[in-house]
PDB file of all heavy atoms in Angstrom:
ATOM      1  N   GLU A  67     -17.758  -2.666   7.581  1.00 98.00           N
ATOM      2  CA  GLU A  67     -17.551  -3.767   6.660  1.00 98.00           C
ATOM      3  C   GLU A  67     -16.321  -3.907   5.964  1.00 98.00           C
ATOM      4  O   GLU A  67     -15.738  -4.918   5.664  1.00 98.00           O
ATOM      5  CB  GLU A  67     -18.710  -3.572   5.509  1.00 98.00           C
ATOM      6  CG  GLU A  67     -20.133  -3.974   5.919  1.00 98.00           C
ATOM      7  CD  GLU A  67     -20.787  -3.013   6.816  1.00 98.00           C
ATOM      8  OE1 GLU A  67     -20.361  -1.831   6.710  1.00 98.00           O
ATOM      9  OE2 GLU A  67     -21.524  -3.418   7.688  1.00 98.00           O
ATOM     10  N   LEU A  68     -15.613  -2.697   5.776  1.00 98.00           N
ATOM     11  CA  LEU A  68     -14.269  -2.674   5.248  1.00 98.00           C
ATOM     12  C   LEU A  68     -13.366  -1.730   6.004  1.00 98.00           C
ATOM     13  O   LEU A  68     -13.805  -0.830   6.776  1.00 98.00           O
ATOM     14  CB  LEU A  68     -14.295  -2.149   3.739  1.00 98.00           C
ATOM     15  CG  LEU A  68     -15.078  -2.911   2.615  1.00 98.00           C
ATOM     16  CD1 LEU A  68     -14.971  -2.134   1.439  1.00 98.00           C
ATOM     17  CD2 LEU A  68     -14.648  -4.263   2.595  1.00 98.00           C
ATOM     18  N   GLY A  69     -12.009  -1.903   5.875  1.00 98.00           N
ATOM     19  CA  GLY A  69     -11.034  -0.978   6.480  1.00 98.00           C
ATOM     20  C   GLY A  69      -9.760  -0.848   5.740  1.00 98.00           C
ATOM     21  O   GLY A  69      -9.445  -1.832   4.993  1.00 98.00           O
ATOM     22  N   PHE A  70      -9.209   0.298   5.625  1.00 98.00           N
ATOM     23  CA  PHE A  70      -7.888   0.588   5.069  1.00 98.00           C
ATOM     24  C   PHE A  70      -6.971   0.694   6.212  1.00 98.00           C
ATOM     25  O   PHE A  70      -7.003   1.575   7.050  1.00 98.00           O
ATOM     26  CB  PHE A  70      -7.932   1.849   4.216  1.00 98.00           C
ATOM     27  CG  PHE A  70      -8.734   1.817   2.959  1.00 98.00           C
ATOM     28  CD1 PHE A  70     -10.094   1.803   2.980  1.00 98.00           C
ATOM     29  CD2 PHE A  70      -8.029   1.730   1.732  1.00 98.00           C
ATOM     30  CE1 PHE A  70     -10.772   1.856   1.688  1.00 98.00           C
ATOM     31  CE2 PHE A  70      -8.607   1.665   0.434  1.00 98.00           C
ATOM     32  CZ  PHE A  70     -10.058   1.660   0.406  1.00 98.00           C
ATOM     33  N   VAL A  71      -5.862  -0.173   6.200  1.00 98.00           N
ATOM     34  CA  VAL A  71      -4.991  -0.139   7.340  1.00 98.00           C
ATOM     35  C   VAL A  71      -3.595  -0.796   6.776  1.00 98.00           C
ATOM     36  O   VAL A  71      -3.576  -1.402   5.821  1.00 98.00           O
ATOM     37  CB  VAL A  71      -5.622  -0.983   8.523  1.00 98.00           C
ATOM     38  CG1 VAL A  71      -5.606  -2.477   8.188  1.00 98.00           C
ATOM     39  CG2 VAL A  71      -4.884  -0.786   9.821  1.00 98.00           C
ATOM     40  N   GLY A  72      -2.608  -0.436   7.653  1.00 98.00           N
ATOM     41  CA  GLY A  72      -1.238  -1.063   7.377  1.00 98.00           C
ATOM     42  C   GLY A  72      -1.237  -2.459   7.636  1.00 98.00           C
ATOM     43  O   GLY A  72      -1.760  -2.886   8.746  1.00 98.00           O
ATOM     44  N   PHE A  73      -0.531  -3.301   6.867  1.00 98.00           N
ATOM     45  CA  PHE A  73      -0.413  -4.720   7.265  1.00 98.00           C
ATOM     46  C   PHE A  73       0.192  -4.993   8.516  1.00 98.00           C
ATOM     47  O   PHE A  73      -0.148  -5.876   9.249  1.00 98.00           O
ATOM     48  CB  PHE A  73       0.317  -5.484   6.006  1.00 98.00           C
ATOM     49  CG  PHE A  73       0.578  -6.899   6.241  1.00 98.00           C
ATOM     50  CD1 PHE A  73      -0.565  -7.812   6.186  1.00 98.00           C
ATOM     51  CD2 PHE A  73       1.804  -7.457   6.482  1.00 98.00           C
ATOM     52  CE1 PHE A  73      -0.449  -8.969   6.538  1.00 98.00           C
ATOM     53  CE2 PHE A  73       1.984  -8.766   6.720  1.00 98.00           C
ATOM     54  CZ  PHE A  73       0.873  -9.621   6.739  1.00 98.00           C
ATOM     55  N   ASN A  74       1.227  -4.151   8.824  1.00 98.00           N
ATOM     56  CA  ASN A  74       1.796  -4.176  10.074  1.00 98.00           C
ATOM     57  C   ASN A  74       0.905  -4.206  11.223  1.00 98.00           C
ATOM     58  O   ASN A  74       1.078  -4.946  12.288  1.00 98.00           O
ATOM     59  CB  ASN A  74       2.975  -3.074  10.314  1.00 98.00           C
ATOM     60  CG  ASN A  74       2.470  -1.762  10.037  1.00 98.00           C
ATOM     61  OD1 ASN A  74       1.756  -1.500   9.018  1.00 98.00           O
ATOM     62  ND2 ASN A  74       2.821  -0.810  10.839  1.00 98.00           N
ATOM     63  N   VAL A  75      -0.139  -3.306  11.230  1.00 98.00           N
ATOM     64  CA  VAL A  75      -1.057  -3.071  12.256  1.00 98.00           C
ATOM     65  C   VAL A  75      -2.016  -4.306  12.305  1.00 98.00           C
ATOM     66  O   VAL A  75      -2.193  -4.828  13.471  1.00 98.00           O
ATOM     67  CB  VAL A  75      -1.830  -1.806  12.114  1.00 98.00           C
ATOM     68  CG1 VAL A  75      -2.954  -1.665  13.057  1.00 98.00           C
ATOM     69  CG2 VAL A  75      -0.915  -0.672  12.272  1.00 98.00           C
ATOM     70  N   LEU A  76      -2.356  -4.777  11.284  1.00 98.00           N
ATOM     71  CA  LEU A  76      -3.234  -5.909  11.195  1.00 98.00           C
ATOM     72  C   LEU A  76      -2.564  -7.130  11.778  1.00 98.00           C
ATOM     73  O   LEU A  76      -3.058  -7.807  12.709  1.00 98.00           O
ATOM     74  CB  LEU A  76      -3.735  -6.213   9.774  1.00 98.00           C
ATOM     75  CG  LEU A  76      -4.496  -7.471   9.412  1.00 98.00           C
ATOM     76  CD1 LEU A  76      -5.830  -7.258   9.984  1.00 98.00           C
ATOM     77  CD2 LEU A  76      -4.498  -7.934   8.105  1.00 98.00           C
ATOM     78  N   GLN A  77      -1.306  -7.362  11.336  1.00 97.00           N
ATOM     79  CA  GLN A  77      -0.614  -8.529  11.803  1.00 97.00           C
ATOM     80  C   GLN A  77      -0.427  -8.462  13.342  1.00 97.00           C
ATOM     81  O   GLN A  77      -0.677  -9.533  13.996  1.00 97.00           O
ATOM     82  CB  GLN A  77       0.764  -8.496  11.106  1.00 97.00           C
ATOM     83  CG  GLN A  77       1.874  -9.268  11.784  1.00 97.00           C
ATOM     84  CD  GLN A  77       1.979 -10.607  11.130  1.00 97.00           C
ATOM     85  OE1 GLN A  77       1.081 -11.053  10.453  1.00 97.00           O
ATOM     86  NE2 GLN A  77       2.942 -11.369  11.579  1.00 97.00           N
ATOM     87  N   GLU A  78      -0.226  -7.374  13.854  1.00 97.00           N
ATOM     88  CA  GLU A  78       0.150  -7.255  15.367  1.00 97.00           C
ATOM     89  C   GLU A  78      -1.275  -7.479  16.125  1.00 97.00           C
ATOM     90  O   GLU A  78      -1.282  -8.135  17.117  1.00 97.00           O
ATOM     91  CB  GLU A  78       0.599  -5.823  15.663  1.00 97.00           C
ATOM     92  CG  GLU A  78       0.912  -5.518  17.139  1.00 97.00           C
ATOM     93  CD  GLU A  78       2.071  -6.280  17.717  1.00 97.00           C
ATOM     94  OE1 GLU A  78       2.945  -6.913  16.958  1.00 97.00           O
ATOM     95  OE2 GLU A  78       2.201  -6.506  18.928  1.00 97.00           O
ATOM     96  N   LYS A  79      -2.316  -7.102  15.552  1.00 96.00           N
ATOM     97  CA  LYS A  79      -3.548  -7.232  16.250  1.00 96.00           C
ATOM     98  C   LYS A  79      -4.043  -8.689  16.225  1.00 96.00           C
ATOM     99  O   LYS A  79      -4.596  -9.253  17.143  1.00 96.00           O
ATOM    100  CB  LYS A  79      -4.798  -6.398  15.600  1.00 96.00           C
ATOM    101  CG  LYS A  79      -4.570  -4.890  15.790  1.00 96.00           C
ATOM    102  CD  LYS A  79      -4.816  -4.388  17.201  1.00 96.00           C
ATOM    103  CE  LYS A  79      -4.351  -3.079  17.417  1.00 96.00           C
ATOM    104  NZ  LYS A  79      -4.374  -2.576  18.721  1.00 96.00           N
ATOM    105  N   ILE A  80      -3.837  -9.334  15.072  1.00 95.00           N
ATOM    106  CA  ILE A  80      -4.125 -10.670  14.985  1.00 95.00           C
ATOM    107  C   ILE A  80      -3.452 -11.540  15.924  1.00 95.00           C
ATOM    108  O   ILE A  80      -4.017 -12.503  16.545  1.00 95.00           O
ATOM    109  CB  ILE A  80      -3.901 -11.204  13.510  1.00 95.00           C
ATOM    110  CG1 ILE A  80      -5.097 -10.663  12.618  1.00 95.00           C
ATOM    111  CG2 ILE A  80      -3.950 -12.670  13.412  1.00 95.00           C
ATOM    112  CD1 ILE A  80      -4.840 -10.999  11.130  1.00 95.00           C
TER     113      ILE A  80
END
Side-chain angles (χ1 to χ4, degrees):
E67 281 73 32
L68 300 180
F70 286 79
V71 69
F73 179 67
N74 51 312
V75 171
L76 177 74
Q77 161 93 350
E78 181 68 15
K79 292 288 164 183
I80 283 175

